[in-house]
Amino acid sequence: MSDEVRHYYAASSEKEWQRLTRAEGVIEFAVTTHFLAAHLPPRGRILDLGGGPGRYSQWLVERGYETVLADLSPALLAIAREKFGERALEIVEADARDLSRWADGSFDAVLSLGPMYHLPTVDDRERAARELARITRVGGVACVAWMPRYAFVRRIFANADEQHRLTREFMRPLLDSGSYTGHAPGRFTHAYGARPEDIEPFMSSHGFRMRALVACEGVASGIEQTLAPVAQHDPAGFGVALETIIETASDPALFGFASHLLYIGDRSA
Ligand SMILES: C[S@@+](CC[C@H](N)C(=O)[O-])C[C@H]1O[C@@H](n2cnc3c(N)ncnc32)[C@H](O)[C@@H]1O
């Protein structure tokens, strides 16, 4: 599983670096950083776990946090080293399932914006959540990205080269357990699609108390590419669109149709 993730991101590292600055990702980035700013402690040491090439790490550094960027993918970490050097932040290769290099309570907050949906087995997600809880100090904050199950159903419907998987044999495990099977070299890896209503109980069973659950693309899910260009020719209108997306982002009616969900919780025990 780890090798599959490494290969996938090695082949798409430049795309991953660009992702959050392009039309498909600017709304996700704006909404996510809005909620991070609202919930992160004002200062402290923060781990950006599964931080890839480091766009969120960069945002953290700019806000004065002592930042550690960790990821499974050497190719993505190489981009981070090239873009940021290691003066502004510490950059390390690490697997979310084994964070033994860090002592209990090492971080005031942890962003885990990637690993959970790349872990298709419940055992691996349990290990990752146990490690997340262990390294977050009591009272600290965890921000965890999930992909909803229907995001995987929708990508199969939408992508011509995935439509051959419209079979009962493929759809059944996806609908029943969230297990998405990667199908071709270079395409998305084996993955996990969560049912939104399962996220809070799962995190709670690992000692987190939910503060927020947010649909990162909100009401703009699936239409980001037509909305994002509005920022160029009508910045004020785009601002109103973003305000609307943020104001409604915690409406459970949107959760299943988002591409990403952001869970934010306190480590309570
Ligand atoms: C879609 S990228 C997201 C990158 C960045 N956090 C963002 O939100 O733009 C998913 C990231 O999770 C990382 N990842 C997947 N499984 C991981 C694991 N078990 N441990 C650490 N990182 C992992 C990948 O290498 C990749 O960088």
Side-chain angles (χ1 to χ4, degrees), residues 28-85:
E28 176 191 337
F29 188 74
V31 173
T32 302
T33 51
H34 171 89
F35 285 95
L36 295 180
H39 290 282
L40 290 177
R43 62 190 66 81
R45 185 167 188 246
I46 301 190
L47 175 64
D48 182 12
L49 177 62
R55 290 285 186 187
Y56 286 101
S57 287
Q58 180 181 21
W59 182 88
L60 292 168
V61 168
E62 285 165 5
R63 273 146 196 83
Y65 292 107
E66 185 190 335
T67 304
V68 181
L69 166 62
D71 200 278
L72 199 55
S73 162
L76 295 182
L77 294 176
I79 293 184
R81 286 194 185 94
E82 179 201 318
K83 304 285 181 193
F84 310 121

Side-chain angles (χ1 to χ4, degrees), residues 9 16 19-20 50-52 56 71-72 76 94-96 113 117-118:
Y9 285 105
E16 191 57 32
R19 189 177 75 85
L20 294 168
Y56 286 101
D71 200 278
L72 199 55
L76 295 182
D95 186 325
L113 308 181
Y117 52 77
H118 277 296

Side-chain angles (χ1 to χ4, degrees), residues 127-196:
R127 282 171 64 193
R130 273 198 300 275
E131 283 292 76
L132 176 68
R134 187 183 63 73
I135 62 164
T136 307
R137 72 163 167 78
V138 172
V141 177
C143 306
V144 183
W146 300 84
M147 287 178 69
R149 196 159 296 180
Y150 297 158
F152 292 99
V153 173
R154 281 155 57 83
R155 68 178 285 139
I156 294 162
F157 287 5
N159 291 321
D161 70 344
E162 295 213 33
Q163 288 164 352
H164 68 277
R165 309 204 305 168
L166 288 169
T167 63
R168 292 219 163 80
E169 292 68 34
F170 184 81
M171 297 307 283
R172 202 64 267 157
L174 177 55
L175 291 173
D176 290 345
S177 68
S179 170
Y180 171 85
T181 314
H183 71 123
R187 298 303 307 270
F188 205 65
T189 61
H190 288 43
Y192 172 66
R195 292 194 317 161

